[in-house]
Amino acid sequence: MNISRIKKLIMGLVGATMVVFSASLAGCETPKPHAVITFEFNETEYAVEYTLQRDTCPHTVRRFIELADLGYYDNTVIHDVQTNDWFTGGYAYEAEEYAARATENALADYLGSHSKYNEFMQLFNGNKLSVSVYGNHAYDSRGNEVPEQSTKLHTLLGEFKSNIKQVIKNDKRVANYGCLKMYYYKDETETAKNSKVYVMPTSDQIIMADYKKNNATSLFGVQMGDSSSYAIGDYAVFAMLASDAARDKLEELEEAVHNYENYDTIDAPVMVNVGELDDATHAFKDKLIEKKFNAPNTAIVIKTVKITKY
């Protein structure tokens, strides 16, 4: 490693304590685009409008918009219902099979065969998704970065305070009812805990960071209570309800779910692909770990995700 490269890395690490995000990363686009998520439960639809926080979570919002525009989130299912949180974004919905598997108490089998992970990777490998995380970084003889020769990872920069001590000016986000949070399933092995990646919070900054805090893919959670164990310091709150009317609509959905006479959850132990870094090449490789979901026995579906304002 030459002197220029060392100096550049040190400067990036020092700067990590005062990372300030701005709308400049998104060019002239609005700092707060809008999206409408249409949920469906028991054959009734609930359209909920969101304000996306591009000014504070530019990478997370960009990933969400890219996937939404590609139709990736359409016809997916809420796959895990925890206390005050619903998780989605990773499993396709097929009505008859879901109902049949729920009756058999076999939603683990359903989710195992309806993962959208391979589709997600195809989009990434087809250059449909922007890059914010790298396994390593290449430099020329003068110490200048050569991004096209670096190892690009499909995972997402974790835009939250406990990651790289990010300081965000005029941050008005709170983790409250209805907000959307980037989510990931963690690999708790020592190798995963100690793995490092390079992240680019701004176009002129390269920072070494923990892989475990920068390995989100397409998953996100909907906070369904005023509090949550998934706090804003550890998860990127990238969208908030756009209005009181949006909150009313989400509350209608929640009430319909809770009052549905046959509603329950089913324990679903599922093998989740979290991936890991190859120590020799710093490239990503597949790795499966088991996670237990509380899957709704009556499907709560994401019918569509539409970006209505860019």
Side-chain angles (χ1 to χ4, degrees), residues 174-220:
V174 290
N176 61 7
Y177 184 82
C179 74
L180 305 183
K181 286 176 278 193
M182 171 274 292
Y183 193 73
Y184 50 92
Y185 294 111
K186 297 177 182 178
D187 179 357
E188 299 293 351
T189 63
E190 287 302 315
T191 300
K193 290 180 180 178
N194 296 326
S195 295
K196 300 291 183 180
V197 293
Y198 292 89
V199 297
M200 295 185 69
T202 60
S203 59
D204 60 350
Q205 222 175 8
I206 305 168
I207 298 171
M208 185 179 285
D210 294 332
Y211 179 54
K212 65 181 180 180
K213 293 184 177 179
N214 299 277
N215 69 341
T217 54
S218 62
L219 302 181
F220 66 92

Side-chain angles (χ1 to χ4, degrees), residues 104-160:
E104 299 165 359
N105 201 35
L107 284 178
D109 294 339
Y110 175 90
L111 295 172
S113 62
H114 286 77
S115 171
K116 290 176 69 71
Y117 178 80
N118 289 336
E119 180 183 341
F120 172 82
M121 288 303 300
Q122 288 174 2
L123 292 174
F124 177 78
N125 292 329
N127 298 315
K128 302 294 186 182
L129 304 177
S130 299
V131 179
S132 62
V133 182
Y134 297 82
N136 60 9
H137 261 279
Y139 295 82
D140 63 22
S141 60
R142 297 182 178 180
N144 297 316
E145 182 200 2
V146 187
E148 62 271 15
Q149 295 180 16
S150 300
T151 305
K152 299 177 181 179
L153 299 184
H154 66 290
T155 59
L156 181 64
L157 165 64
E159 295 175 299
F160 46 87

